[in-house]
Amino acid sequence: LSLVLRTLAVLYVGFYFGKKIYHKQMISSLWIILPLFIYAIQAIVSILTHRTDWFMKEPIRNISFAFCGISLTFLLASLFRYFPKILLYIFDCLGKVSLESYLWNTYLINVLALFMLSYPVYNTGNNPLILYILFVCIVGLLMSFITSGFVKYILNKLGLNKK
């Protein structure tokens, strides 16, 4: 449930900021400070109360992690003006399939976890974690671009594409 809440909260905030940025409206710098403040409060309360029950601590921690991503996004966006053009082009291409990538990576991570539980021989020290991470990244991105192209093809056939 906390994963769903975190995802919905971040998507809502992302759409909110996306609309403001598209219309070239200013965004308060409190969105950089406030999420970090919320995360700090969550961490302090968690440490001081020594809460170990998962239900109370996990959702709050997950949501505070998600909102720290908002702060990080604003900080990185301010640094993007100093990036080389080719790097911005790569980020642009990856940004076009970010939702598909998120969905495919979540799916692949779950499939890989089930595979490793079903076949414990593959869960040994012989197969380093970096191979699993590379598998998810490469296959996830490949499937994301294929899915995005397929969706654009279907939208074109139905006459629903905005371009």
Side-chain angles (χ1 to χ4, degrees):
L1 182 63
S2 66
L3 180 63
V4 173
L5 290 175
R6 177 180 68 191
T7 303
L8 288 175
V10 170
L11 282 175
Y12 176 77
V13 171
F15 281 121
Y16 173 77
F17 287 131
K19 189 181 287 187
K20 284 190 157 296
I21 291 169
Y22 182 76
H23 294 294
K24 302 200 185 317
Q25 297 174 344
M26 292 295 294
I27 299 170
S28 173
S29 58
L30 281 176
W31 281 103
I32 296 173
I33 299 165
L34 188 63
L36 296 174
F37 181 71
I38 292 171
Y39 179 76
I41 288 176
Q42 176 275 140
I44 291 168
V45 168
S46 180
I47 290 169
L48 292 178
T49 60
H50 300 288
R51 301 280 316 214
T52 57
D53 55 331
W54 180 87
F55 181 73
M56 291 303 290
K57 190 164 97 173
E58 192 70 20
I60 295 169
R61 186 175 66 202
N62 280 341
I63 290 172
S64 66
F65 272 138
F67 281 101
C68 279
I70 294 168
S71 293
L72 181 65
T73 302
F74 277 109
L75 292 173
L76 286 176
S78 64
L79 295 176
F80 275 4
R81 68 182 80 148
Y82 304 110
F83 282 27
K85 294 274 186 204
I86 187 71
L87 194 57
L88 292 176
Y89 175 75
I90 292 170
F91 286 149
D92 183 47
C93 290
L94 292 176
K96 290 177 183 174
V97 294
S98 62
L99 178 60
E100 294 91 342
S101 180
Y102 171 76
L103 296 173
W104 273 108
N105 288 349
T106 302
Y107 174 74
L108 288 171
I109 288 168
N110 287 325
V111 167
L112 205 54
L114 287 172
F115 177 78
M116 289 176 8
L117 289 174
S118 300
Y119 301 100
V121 71
Y122 292 105
N123 197 16
T124 64
N126 296 334
N127 298 309
L129 181 63
I130 191 71
L131 292 178
Y132 295 122
I133 293 170
L134 285 173
F135 171 80
V136 169
C137 290
I138 292 169
V139 173
L141 275 176
L142 179 66
M143 294 306 297
S144 300
F145 283 110
I146 291 170
T147 303
S148 178
F150 180 70
V151 168
K152 287 178 186 174
Y153 173 78
I154 295 295
L155 289 175
N156 282 335
K157 285 291 186 183
L158 295 173
L160 299 174
N161 201 355
K162 294 181 180 180
K163 288 185 178 181

